[in-house]
Amino acid sequence: MKTYVITNDWQVPFQDPKAVELVLRFIEDLKPNGVVLNGDIADAYPLSSYDKDPSQITTIYEEADQCIEYMQRIKEAGVKERWFIEGNHEDRMR
């Protein structure tokens, strides 16, 4: 039997760091056959058409770097099958 982890709505940089860390540790411990990042992993806040909080200074590049770090941990955990499905927040990048 194959095992998969499906997770979504992290919305980096607004993610709950403790929750994301628990998910990543769970993946590292479980060693599933696959992981599906099912949308809205990034928030793409700088590209949003909504009013911005002036105290929020994250750039789209910083968001992307943080998402890449999370994805790298999943890869390093030995997960063979990895999917990234864009959500409406990632669609802002288009």
Side-chain angles (χ1 to χ4, degrees):
M1 174 172 42
K2 290 189 172 185
T3 306
Y4 295 86
V5 172
I6 302 170
T7 183
N8 56 278
D9 288 294
W10 294 3
Q11 298 186 2
V12 171
F14 303 108
Q15 78 279 20
D16 180 332
K18 290 180 182 177
V20 172
E21 182 62 28
L22 286 172
V23 170
L24 293 171
R25 285 186 190 172
F26 177 73
I27 291 168
E28 290 165 349
D29 290 344
L30 180 64
K31 301 194 183 324
N33 296 88
V35 171
V36 178
L37 299 177
N38 195 29
D40 297 345
I41 300 304
D43 188 79
Y45 182 75
L47 304 177
S48 167
S49 61
Y50 297 104
D51 287 338
K52 307 290 188 301
D53 177 351
S55 68
Q56 178 63 18
I57 58 172
T58 302
T59 69
I60 194 66
Y61 302 106
E62 291 168 323
E63 278 190 35
D65 286 345
Q66 194 163 15
C67 290
I68 289 167
E69 286 177 29
Y70 290 144
M71 292 177 192
Q72 187 63 32
R73 279 193 56 192
I74 293 169
K75 181 179 178 182
E76 289 170 359
V79 177
K80 301 273 189 262
E81 300 174 39
R82 299 178 304 275
W83 294 278
F84 178 82
I85 301 169
E86 292 181 0
N88 65 309
H89 286 260
E90 287 91 8
D91 193 51
R92 293 174 179 170
M93 294 181 204
R94 257 180 247 166

